[in-house]
Each structure stands twice: as structure tokens, then as C-alpha cells.
Amino acid sequence: MHLSDLKTDQTAIIVRVVGHGSFKKRIMEMGFVKGKSVSVVLNAPLKDPIVYKVMDYEISLRRSEARMIEVITEEEAAEKIEKIHSSGELVLERNNVDKIIDSSKKIINIALIGNPNSGKTSLFNYVSGENEHVGNYSGVTVGAKKGSFKYKEYSFIVYDLPGTYALSAYSPEEVYVRKHLEEHTPDVIVNVVVASNLERNLYLTTELIDMDASTVIALNMYDELTQRGSELDYDGLGRMMGVPMIPTDSRNGNGIDNLFDSVIEIFENRNDTVRHIHINHGHVIESGINVITKELKVDRSILKHFSPRYLAIKLLEGDEKVEQLLKHHENYSEWINIRNREVARIKETLNEDIESSIANQKYGFISGALREMYKIGNNDDVQTTKIIDSIVTHKLFGFPIFLFFMWVMFELTFKLGAYPMEWIESSVSWISTTVNNVMSDGMLKDLIIDGLIGGVGGVIVFLPTIVILYLCISFMEDSGYMARAAFIMDKLMHRIGLHGKSFIPLIMGFGCNVPAIAAARTIESPSSRLITILINPFISCSARLPVYILLVGTFFQKHSSLIILGLYLLGILVAVITAKLLRKFLFKEDETPFVMELPPYRIPTIKSTLSHMWDKSWQYLRKMGGIILVASIIIWALSYFPRGNGEMTEYQHQTESYLGQIGKAVTPIMEPLGFDWKVNVAIISGTVAKEIVVSTLGVLYVDGDDVNDVVLSEKLTAINPETNKPNLNPITALTFMVFVLLYFPCIATLAAIAAETGHWKWAVISLFYSCTVAWVVAFAIRHICLLFT
């Protein structure tokens, strides 16, 4: 608990003090040190400030300052060591209290901070055992991920924060990271930098130095630096900057132990490399920083999280978030007047805007430090990247190459996936045969064969195609090509009112629309972010793939890859048109600049690729045992009841079932598309999850009498004895796939839209708009096909 939580006359023992360096030091100098007893003397009438007694002195602290001191009451300590006297009174030995304090102080809170694509998430995965996917482009980490692990009797709580290039208030990532530092106050910051790209990466480090934050630098992918023949005196550079530097490679764990040894040393104040330096911004700017810093030091309450020097620099830069942080203080108006005066003086003297001046000085400091400590070797990797980029990002060849890669991905997905699909299908058929032979006839047997095996089994056969699709996407992400795809698409994105960075969430939508919508947080412009979110559901996610595989394999075997590619391109086309309409009628033109890193090409590690593939496959399998299993049972029950009389044929029974009645109720709306009531029911069930469309078709079209002899695809093309027509034909199948592509986003996607936009209004708009577009486009395609057949 925190010191601010204590009530009047309550006593506790101080565990530790958190917060910014100078604030922490001042509080400890006042007597608030580990192991000391502190009690609440009295509260002010408005509950702030509070008078505490520590070391026989009475000291007044504001509640916000007391919140930075962690304590443990004697009662809590006694409960932890479970020493209860037989009389019911608490028995507390001092050595036991010391043990409790000692264990509490060995909890280290860490924040992983670094540029996009620096390897933070790889490091997080390695130490915490989490399976967050690592993509070789910015924006994979869209929020803080929390993990924990133990090392050398210390418990570490680690947060993987979004990748950011600086700590200003320009992008959502920067705002998020800075807010985390303010609210969570990590004990140690692990600044992950790319060892082979120090000049760019160390800019963020200079801002952490301004903050006076306890920091250690992980020189990640250090092997790439040495492979180029470069040499870095990282120990000397660390001493120059006052921040320890540890070579690491988070992909294979090299140097991780050394990194956390250094974290422990910093936490325990045992690292002699650590020292607070002031990066010199030149006499003109420094004089302005010093004036504002001196004024800010008057009010100690604002210095709990950030150093006065950092706040002064950000005030000079006109940082809106810092102004919001300070505006409630009584001296705010005076501070702003001083700031405005100093900014005007600096601009007049340097003839340059203040942000550019500060950035130039920081890069000058970095350049000077590296000149002494860093010797650049050959740049073979850089040359290789340039050669590859000259081809794949070529203005004529870039787009055709991208389409070719997409076609190859779908070709591999369909062709390679066909073999394991047959194996799984045979296994499902064998299970059905076994159950049919062992069990006696009855409702339970029908439930297992038609509901469970027919529903879940009809979907699980598509697991190999899902695995291959994610394997291809993972390879493009990890290799660095996905960032090039965004670069290639920037011009097209700009023409529809977006920019290349919006392309990353759209590409991620091929896997799943839910995380893709969340990934749109990395887009700086609010309007571009909202448009990207609203058009993402039209990007065909992997959940729709089983529907395509089933129908394309049944009706379009000779042109399977082209049909699937065409569906994906149709989804992209509808998304583009929708974005254009939104930009024209709802939002102003957006001129947000396209700034995105093009990382060097890397050969993805087998571990990373397989980990990602397994993670997504496991999610798919969990869905089989969860929502799809439940939905299959519900659909079976609705199709099974009411039973009617024994003289009814199976078709008549299905028509009169609850499910049949639902399907027939919407027939007037769907009949122009050529859909019968069974297809209508499958479409309705797909609102929960698109995979359920296939399981529903499996339940409705495959009955228990011949489930072992006839596969679903054959039942779809079989002549219906009641209508004397095939259940489905190629035109209806194509219309069906188009409708599934465009209609109702699944419930999880709608929830993601509501969460990311902050309002259910946009989710409802997406629902009605997508269903309308799906009906219109499917109707058009059906009748165009009828004209030519």
C-alpha cells in the first residue's frame, strides 16, 4: 500500500520510495527511508497536505507525494508471515518484518522503451515467456504489455511499451509512453536501441537523460554491428552519457543476463557508470532552460515524475501535454510568460524555430560522442538492402511484385494446404464412422455426429490453410518486406485520403480484423485513424478463408488461386471506395506526412516464425473448442427441433425446424441473391464468427445417414430431390462468397471498432453500411454473371 492510504494515528513501515531521481533523493533525505516507522499525525481539513511523524520529526507531505512512498502496516506484515498468537493478538518479530521489507524491496518495475523495430517485444517475449508477435515494421506493439519473471531472487515486472522515436506529444505512441512513465514510475527503464543504428536510436536516449530517469541501454542485435566489422567502445560511451550499455541479442538471449545484472545494480545504486549529465544545447538555449528550470523548482509537487530540466525543455518546445500537466498550478501563467519571452529571444538570436534547434543540438551531442567511441566498418548489409529496395520498391515493378507475392501466398495456402486438409478430413470421417458404429440411434448420437463432428469437424479441416497463411504473413513482416509494401502503397493510400502507414493495419486485417483495428492506434491523424478502422472489416480476414476454400474447391478448382485473389482484391477495392467517400463527405482532407522506417532486410528466425504460426493456430483451435463448438450445438438444436411426426422426410423436417423458420423469414430479402433458407441460416450464424458459416453448412447439408460416405462439397453440388436442382451452383457460390466477404463484421470486430473509436455509434454505422454494401455488390455480381452464362 502507499503512505497516502494510511489513516490518522495509523503506523506503518517504509518499504521503498519511488519516483523521479531528485524527488526520491529529497524525500529520503527527509527521513523516509526503508525500514523506518512512520505514522499519520493529522490530515488537513481538505485531506491535503498530511502531517507524518518519522524519526521523531513531524513532516508535512502532499497526498500526491505520499503516494510515491510504499509502506506496509504491522497488520499486513503479520498476515504475510502468518504468525498469529493463540490469544488472537498479533505477534510480530522485528527480524520477520525485515524479511517482509527485504522481499518487498526486491520487486523491480521495468519499462522497455525504444524505437519501432528495435527488438523490444523480442526481449519482452524472451524474459517473460509471452508470445507476442514481433513484426519487422513499426506499430506491432500498440499498447503496453505486462509480463513478469524472477531472476537472482528479484521479481521483475516488465512493461513492453509502444515503439517511439521521441517523447514529445506528436504521436499516440509518444503520448502513451510518457503517460506510462508518469503514472507507473518504473524503477529502471531499459532503453532498447539497435546497435547498428546508434545515431538515430540514441535521440530517444537523450530525452531519457533529460528526464533524469534510471536507465540502462540494451545494445540490441549487437551481432549485426560486429558482422559489419564495426567497433564500439560501449563502456566508454556509456560512461560519457552516464548510462550503462550492455550488448544483447534478444532473438537468442545473448547478453540478457548481463542486462538484468546491470538493472539490479542500478536499482540498488551500485553501478558507478550511472551519473546525471546535462546535454549542452548551446549557450542561447541553455540560458532559457536554466531560467525556466529555476522557476519550476519552486513548486516541488510537479517534480515527482519528471525532472525540472525536462519540463523546461518541453515548455520551450511548446509541448501541449506538459502545458496541461502544469496549467493547474498557481504560477502557471507566470511560467508561460517566461517561456514565451525566452522562445522569442532564442528565435531572434538563432533565426531558427526552437524544436529544430534543440533537435540539432541533441544530434550534435550524439554525433560527437560516436565520433570518439564508434568505428564504422563495411556496409555490406546496407548495400544489400539498397539493391533489393531498388527492385521491390521500383516505381514500375514494385506494385506488380507486391501482387505477385500476394498471389504466391494464396497459391501456397491453397495448394500446400490441400494435402493435410485431406488427412484431417479422413480423420474426421473415421471418427464419424466409429461413433456411428458404436452408438445406438438417438438424439445424443445425432448431436455428436451432426452437431459436434459435422460442425466443428467441418471447420477444423481448414487449420492447415490458416497455418500457411499466417506463415506467409509472418515471413513478410519479419523479413522487412511489409514495411516496403506500405511504402509502395503510400501513393495509392494518399489518393484515397490516407497514407502508407494506414496500409499496415489493412495488411494485418488479412490475419484478423480485431488486432488490425487496434494497430490503427499508431496513425497520428485522428481522421485517418478513424477511416482506417472503418474500412478494415472489408479486408478479408483468415476467418473467411474456410468459406472460400470450401466453395472454390467445390466449384472453381481450375482457377482457385485467381478466384481467392480476386475476392481479396474486391475487399480492398470496396475499402478504397469507402475511404474515398468518408474523406469526401465526413472528414477534411488530411495532409499528415508519411514517416515510416524502412528497416534492413533480415532473415526471420525459425523460432520467431514458428512461434507466431503456432500462436495463431492455437487461437484457431481454441475457437474450435469455444465459440464454434457452442454455436454448432445451438445450430444443431435449432435444426433438430421440433421433431414433428415420423413420416416427414429429412428435408421437410429441416424446413419446419426453428432454424428453417428463421432462414425462411429472411428469404424475401435474400432471394434476389439466389440464396435458399440454408444459406440464409449460415449467413446469420456467421455474425458470431465467420468460421461458423462452414460449420453451419456442415450441420444443415450433411445428415447422419450418409455422413461417412459423402463429404460436404459433394452434398453442396448434389441434386435436391425436393427441388430437382443442385443445392448450389457456381454463380450462387460466387455470390455467396462475395456476400460473406463484405457483410456484417463479426461481433468481436464490432466491439473492437467501438473500443478504438470510443463510441458504439461507429460500430452500428459499420454494421448497417457493410450489410448494405454486401447485398448491393453481391446482387450486381450475380446478375453480371447471369448475363454471360
Side-chain angles (χ1 to χ4, degrees), residues 120-137:
K120 293 183 297 78
T121 304
S122 293
L123 176 59
F124 176 82
N125 290 346
Y126 186 87
V127 299
S128 70
E130 297 291 336
N131 289 318
E132 295 296 340
H133 175 53
V134 184
N136 195 15
Y137 62 89

Side-chain angles (χ1 to χ4, degrees), residues 249-283:
D249 188 344
S250 56
R251 295 169 297 184
N252 52 35
N254 290 341
I256 303 301
D257 287 351
N258 293 336
L259 175 66
F260 285 97
D261 286 339
S262 184
V263 169
I264 293 172
E265 290 176 355
I266 293 172
F267 179 74
E268 298 289 3
N269 297 313
R270 297 198 304 257
N271 194 303
D272 57 6
T273 300
V274 176
R275 65 189 181 95
H276 180 50
I277 68 169
H278 284 181
I279 296 172
N280 194 319
H281 295 86
H283 172 71

Side-chain angles (χ1 to χ4, degrees), residues 355-372:
E355 289 183 84
S356 298
S357 299
I358 291 176
N360 289 337
Q361 292 294 339
K362 287 184 182 296
Y363 276 116
F365 167 79
I366 295 169
S367 179
L370 293 179
R371 190 176 295 116
E372 295 186 35

Side-chain angles (χ1 to χ4, degrees), residues 631-667:
S632 296
I633 294 174
I634 294 173
I635 292 167
W636 172 85
L638 291 174
S639 67
Y640 192 81
F641 298 103
R643 292 305 297 164
N645 59 62
E647 298 178 358
M648 296 175 62
T649 65
E650 185 64 27
Y651 181 80
Q652 289 174 332
H653 164 66
Q654 289 184 345
T655 303
E656 297 302 321
S657 68
Y658 295 128
L659 203 60
Q661 294 175 37
I662 294 173
K664 287 186 290 186
V666 298
T667 296

Side-chain angles (χ1 to χ4, degrees), residues 378-389:
N378 64 72
N379 289 314
D380 290 344
D381 290 346
V382 175
Q383 292 300 322
T384 301
T385 294
K386 288 182 178 179
I387 293 172
I388 298 175
D389 277 346

Side-chain angles (χ1 to χ4, degrees), residues 14-144:
I14 298 172
V15 174
R16 63 174 176 173
V17 179
V18 298
H20 161 259
S22 61
F23 167 82
K24 181 177 179 179
K25 182 179 179 182
R26 181 180 62 82
I27 290 293
M28 294 179 70
E29 288 174 346
M30 295 167 64
F32 293 90
V33 294
K34 173 180 69 72
K36 295 299 180 182
S37 180
V38 58
S39 58
V40 182
V41 177
L42 59 90
N43 281 267
L46 297 178
K47 303 295 184 181
D48 206 0
I50 306 170
V51 177
Y52 296 97
K53 185 175 183 179
V54 59
M55 293 186 180
D56 294 326
Y57 286 94
E58 291 186 357
I59 301 173
S60 174
L61 290 181
R62 291 183 177 175
R63 185 172 293 274
S64 60
E65 295 175 324
R67 196 174 292 119
M68 308 298 289
I69 302 173
E70 295 181 6
V71 298
I72 184 171
T73 64
E74 293 185 348
E75 291 81 2
E76 288 176 325
E79 289 176 5
K80 285 190 175 184
I81 59 179
E82 297 181 348
K83 288 200 172 185
I84 308 297
H85 193 267
S86 58
S87 64
E89 297 180 0
L90 297 176
V91 175
L92 196 63
E93 300 176 3
R94 181 65 208 186
N95 63 329
N96 287 324
V97 174
D98 291 338
K99 290 179 181 179
I100 295 295
I101 295 172
D102 190 56
S103 63
S104 298
K105 81 180 185 66
K106 288 190 175 182
I107 299 174
I108 305 178
N109 291 288
I110 294 174
L112 300 181
I113 295 178
N115 288 184
N117 199 46
S118 62
K120 293 183 297 78
T121 304
S122 293
L123 176 59
F124 176 82
N125 290 346
Y126 186 87
V127 299
S128 70
E130 297 291 336
N131 289 318
E132 295 296 340
H133 175 53
V134 184
N136 195 15
Y137 62 89
S138 66
V140 172
T141 309
V142 295

